[in-house]
Each structure stands twice: as structure tokens, then as C-alpha cells.
């Protein structure tokens, strides 16, 4: 299977999984309206999706460093979909949290292994990794539209319909699994000498990703409700704001990969965070429909460095690529969900505008951390010969 084909399948499967990350935020207004949850209580749902995922992704990363587990791709995709599909069937808050947590574990199991396989299939190409990330961003962007369409025909009891993308995603990975099972043709590995890990830079990078995560999770949790308030309780305004937040991520991923082919990843990421500070001020304080433009700009700024941070982490820890992927795609990204309940409490006691204001400082802190990061030298990929090539050599 050619590189473009495998990356395309991985990207589409990534989209099917990340629909369920976006679906959590998209379901928040329905939990508020149908079950009368407060901001603080509904933040607990976001926390449930993040907490187990935060802990589990590095664990799965360590496991994938020791053993290749491509079978996790379809299995974790199904698990993430089943959890969301079951989340609306019970009025019990505890069971709802459990179902959301199950989906979070599925997402946690998926990302380290998929990032490892995508890095191999991309052969070190920033654009290919950007394409892989783009698939996830498109999934995020489609989530509010899909949830709105499904919920618009009924209530939270319609959530079982949301399992369909998981079924599609699991099917998409079958050709990838067959490719991996037949041979290692087209796969690459990275030569990483012992002692090559730059743990200090990796920790700074991880902290920068945490601050980014706080911004994105806070916005994805509350931007729909905030837009409704700003636009005279318009439910459509909330859906549009969430869609633009996720769609801007797709634009940012493509732009980040293209820029990284011309400039250093650290340099691109640093300037994107500085741009995000200004855009976020516009989201919170600029009145009227211009808010929607700033939502899209903020999301673009947050996602330009997204795939670049994954490959930076892998290059800072070249002997532990799975662990690096688990942290940059999992632990640090999910950490933002831990802050959501605090924002919810602040919003309940003051206002959503007041609660969102501290988020402005987060990309500024990421910018400061990136100023202290070096651009790593990317190890050269070594081609792992196919069975056919090996046989030809033996002849």
C-alpha cells in the first residue's frame, strides 16, 4: 500500500475517533437543557472524558514502545463510539459519567499507536503528519453538526445513532491491518542512539501543550453556551461557534505542516501562540457577529503547532516514540479537561465572560516556553526492506 493511501486511511480513521472527542462538548448544551445540569456539573462530564484519558494515554504509549499493537486501532475506535452512543440512555449522572469515561479510554488507547503508525507511514514528512492531524480536526468539526442533527430529531435517547462513525472507522482500518500483517513494506524506523533523549526540552514542550489544552478545552466546553448568550439565546449560534472552533483546527493543521516544510517547527509554533493571544481577546471582548471570525482565528492559531508538537516530542524522545506520542497527544492534551470544573464554578458564581478571561494567559505562557526550546535534529528514517526486496538480495 502506497504512503498516500495509508496516510489517507489513517487520517479518515482519525477523524472517526475524534468525532467522539468533539461530541462530548457538543452534547453539553443538551445535558444542560434536558437535565438542568449547572455549568459546574456539566463540566464534570468533560472531566470524565479527560481524566482517564490523561492517565491511560501515556500507559498505552509505553506499551506501544515495547510491542506493536495495530489491532488497537479498530478496537479503540469502536470503544470510543460505544461510550458516546450509550451516554444519553440513562438519566443517572453516574452512568453518564461512566459511559463518557469508556469513550475516553477508547480515545486514549487509539492515539499513541495511531501516531506511531502514522509516523512510520509518513516517512518523516511534516505534511503527511499534518494530513493525519487534519483528519482528527475534521472529525472535531463534524461532531457538533452530527450531534445537532441527531439530537434535533429527538432527545438524548437518540445517542445510539452516534455509533455509526465508529463502525466506519473500524472498517477503514482493516486494509491498514492487512498491510501491516503481510509485510513491513513501506514502513520506516528511526535510528536513535542511546542517550539521545532530551528530557528537559520534552518537559518544557509538554508544559506548553498543557497550557494550549486548557485554552482549547475551556473554549470547546463553553463557547457554544457563550455564543448563545451573546446572540440572544440562539441555539444555532452555539452550534456555529463550536463548528468554527473545530473547523479552524483543520485549517491550522494543514497550515502548520506547510509552514514546517519551510521554517523551523519551534519558530512556527512560537509565532502561532503569540497570534492566538490576540485572537482570543477578540473572542471574549469583541461584540457582535465578529466573535465568530475570532473563534476561527483562535482555533487556527491553536492548531498550527498541533502536529508539530507531536513530531517535536518524538524527536526530543527518539528512543521512546510511543511514550512521547502518549504524552503530547494524551496526558498534556487531556489535562485541559481537569481545569473545566474550575471554569464552571467560576462561571456559576460570576459569568461566562469572566470565567473565559483567564484563558488569554495560557497561549502567552506557551509562547514563553517555546522561546526556550531548541529545534531538534530529526533522525534519518531507515527503510525496512520488504520481504520481496530481501528475497531479491538473497538471490
Amino acid at each position: 500500500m502506497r504512503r498516500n493511501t495509508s496516510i489517507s486511511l489513517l487520517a479518515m480513521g482519525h477523524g472517526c475517533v475524534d468525532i467522539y472527542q468533539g461530541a462530548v462538548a457538543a452534547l453539553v448544551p443538551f445535558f444542560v437543557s434536558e437535565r438542568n445540569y449547572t455549568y459546574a456539573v456539566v463540566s464534570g462530564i468533560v472531566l470524565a472524558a479527560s481524566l482517564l484519558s490523561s492517565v491511560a494515554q501515556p500507559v498505552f504509549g509505553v506499551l506501544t514502545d515495547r510491542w506493536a499493537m495495530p489491532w488497537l486501532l479498530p478496537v479503540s475506535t469502536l470503544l470510543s463510539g460505544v461510550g458516546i452512543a450509550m451516554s444519553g440512555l440513562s438519566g443517572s449522572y453516574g452512568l453518564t459519567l461512566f459511559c463518557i469515561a469508556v469513550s475516553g479510554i477508547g480515545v486514549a488507547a487509539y492515539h499513541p499507536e495511531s501516531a506511531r503508525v502514522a509516523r512510520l507511514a509518513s516517512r518523516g514528512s511534516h505534511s503527511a503528519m499534518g494530513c493525519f492531524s487534519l483528519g482528527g480536526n475534521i472529525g472535531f468539526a463534524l461532531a457538533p453538526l452530527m450531534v445537532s442533527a441527531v439530537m434535533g430529531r429527538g432527545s438524548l435517547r437518540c445517542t445510539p445513532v452516534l455509533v455509526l462513525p465508529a463502525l466506519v472507522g473500524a472498517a477503514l482500518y482493516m486494509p491498514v491491518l492487512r498491510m501491516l500483517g503481510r509485510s513491513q513494506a513501506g514502513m520506516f524506523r528511526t535510528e536513535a542512539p542511546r542517550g539521545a533523549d532530551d528530557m528537559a526540552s520534552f518537559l518544557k514542550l509538554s508544559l506548553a501543550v498543557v497550557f494550549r489544552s486548557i485554552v482549547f478545552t475551556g473554549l470547546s466546553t463553553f463557547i457554544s453556551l457563550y455564543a448563545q448568550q451573546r446572540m440572544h439565546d440562539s441555539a444555532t449560534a452555539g452550534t456555529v461557534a463550536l463548528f468554527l472552533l473545530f473547523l479552524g483546527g483543520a485549517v491550522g493543521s494543514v497550515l502548520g505542516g506547510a509552514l514546517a516544510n519551510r521554517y523551523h517547527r519551534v519558530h512556527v509554533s512560537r509565532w502561532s501562540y503569540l497570534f492566538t493571544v490576540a485572537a482570543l481577546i477578540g473572542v471574549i471582548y469583541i461584540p457582535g457577529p465578529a466573535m465568530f471570525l475570532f473563534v476561527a482565528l483562535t482555533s487556527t492559531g491553536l492548531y498550527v503547532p498541533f502536529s508539530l508538537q507531536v513530531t517535536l516530542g518524538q524527536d526530543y524522545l527518539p528512543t521512546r516514540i510511543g511514550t512521547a506520542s502518549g504524552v503530547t497527544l494524551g496526558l498534556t492534551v487531556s489535562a485541559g479537561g481537569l481545569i473545566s470544573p474550575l471554569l464552571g464554578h467560576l462561571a456559576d458564581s460570576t459569568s461566562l465572560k469572566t470565567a473565559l478571561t483567564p484563558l488569554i494567559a495560557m497561549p502567552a505562557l506557551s509562547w514563553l516556553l517555546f522561546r526556550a526550546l531548541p529545534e531538534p535534529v530529526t533522525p534519518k528514517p531507515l527503510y525496512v526492506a520488504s520481504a520481496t526486496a530481501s528475497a531479491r538480495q538473497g538471490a
Side-chain angles (χ1 to χ4, degrees):
M1 187 179 295
R2 293 179 299 177
R3 181 181 73 178
N4 289 346
T5 303
S6 58
I7 284 292
S8 295
L9 289 173
L10 287 165
M12 288 187 286
H14 191 187
C16 291
V17 171
D18 278 3
I19 277 178
Y20 297 109
Q21 291 202 82
V24 176
L27 285 169
V28 163
F30 295 97
F31 285 122
V32 171
S33 62
E34 292 189 30
R35 298 184 182 175
N36 297 316
Y37 290 164
T38 65
Y39 293 142
V41 169
V42 82
S43 297
I45 293 176
V46 178
L47 177 62
S50 302
L51 188 58
L52 284 178
S53 183
S54 297
V55 176
Q57 286 205 44
V59 173
F60 282 108
V62 171
L63 293 175
T64 57
D65 279 335
R66 299 192 64 180
W67 303 285
M69 296 186 289
W71 54 267
L72 269 178
L73 301 184
V75 171
S76 60
T77 300
L78 290 173
L79 192 62
S80 62
V82 168
I84 292 295
M86 301 295 290
S87 66
L89 295 184
S90 171
S92 166
Y93 185 65
L95 286 177
T96 300
L97 290 180
F98 174 78
C99 292
I100 295 294
V102 167
S103 180
I105 291 176
V107 171
Y110 170 83
H111 279 100
E113 180 65 8
S114 67
R116 184 189 70 84
V117 173
R119 179 66 181 257
L120 296 175
S122 71
R123 305 179 187 180
S125 166
H126 296 311
S127 295
M129 284 299 289
C131 179
F132 171 70
S133 296
L134 172 64
N137 301 143
I138 291 175
F140 261 115
L142 291 177
L145 301 181
M146 183 183 69
V147 169
S148 180
V150 172
M151 298 300 103
R153 296 183 177 276
S155 66
L156 285 170
R157 293 196 175 274
C158 293
T159 53
V161 177
L162 299 178
V163 79
L164 292 177
L167 300 177
V168 172
L172 286 172
Y173 280 121
M174 291 302 106
V176 177
L177 293 184
R178 285 196 294 270
M179 174 195 70
L180 294 175
R182 281 198 304 268
S183 70
Q184 293 296 312
M187 301 299 285
F188 284 68
R189 60 184 173 88
T190 299
E191 190 172 50
R194 290 185 180 274
D197 292 345
D198 183 354
M199 183 59 69
S201 293
F202 181 74
L203 291 175
K204 292 174 187 175
L205 172 70
S206 299
L207 189 55
V209 180
V210 168
F211 292 137
R212 176 210 171 273
S213 170
I214 291 171
V215 178
F216 187 78
T217 306
L219 287 177
S220 63
T221 303
F222 295 113
I223 194 63
S224 181
L225 296 170
Y226 188 54
Q228 288 181 28
Q229 286 184 5
R230 296 276 296 273
M231 299 298 153
H232 312 292
D233 294 325
S234 169
T236 301
T239 300
V240 170
L242 199 57
F243 173 71
L244 289 174
L245 180 69
F246 295 158
L247 183 64
V251 175
S253 291
V254 173
L255 185 59
L259 290 173
N261 287 331
R262 299 188 60 184
Y263 309 103
H264 287 167
R265 289 167 290 177
V266 170
H267 184 76
V268 171
S269 300
R270 185 187 304 154
W271 281 103
S272 69
Y273 279 124
L274 199 57
F275 170 83
T276 302
V277 173
L280 189 54
I281 291 172
V283 171
I284 300 172
Y285 290 104
I286 298 297
M291 168 194 177
F292 296 111
L293 172 62
F294 285 105
V295 168
L297 292 176
T298 298
S299 180
T300 300
L302 287 172
Y303 266 95
V304 162
F306 186 74
S307 65
L308 310 185
Q309 290 168 161
V310 176
T311 58
L312 280 170
Q314 291 170 339
D315 290 342
Y316 287 140
L317 294 186
T319 67
R320 289 175 280 180
I321 285 179
T323 301
S325 301
V327 172
T328 54
L329 279 171
L331 179 63
T332 51
V333 172
S334 301
L338 306 180
I339 306 298
S340 291
L342 298 179
L343 295 177
H345 281 296
L346 183 58
D348 283 331
S349 59
T350 57
S351 68
L352 273 176
K353 186 175 185 179
T354 301
L356 293 175
T357 297
L359 297 181
I360 296 170
M362 299 299 107
L365 293 173
S366 295
W367 172 74
L368 286 173
L369 286 164
F370 263 91
R371 285 177 59 85
L373 286 177
E375 179 71 26
V377 177
T378 305
K380 294 181 178 180
L382 301 176
Y383 185 67
V384 180
S386 66
T388 304
S390 299
R392 199 161 32 229
Q393 273 188 344

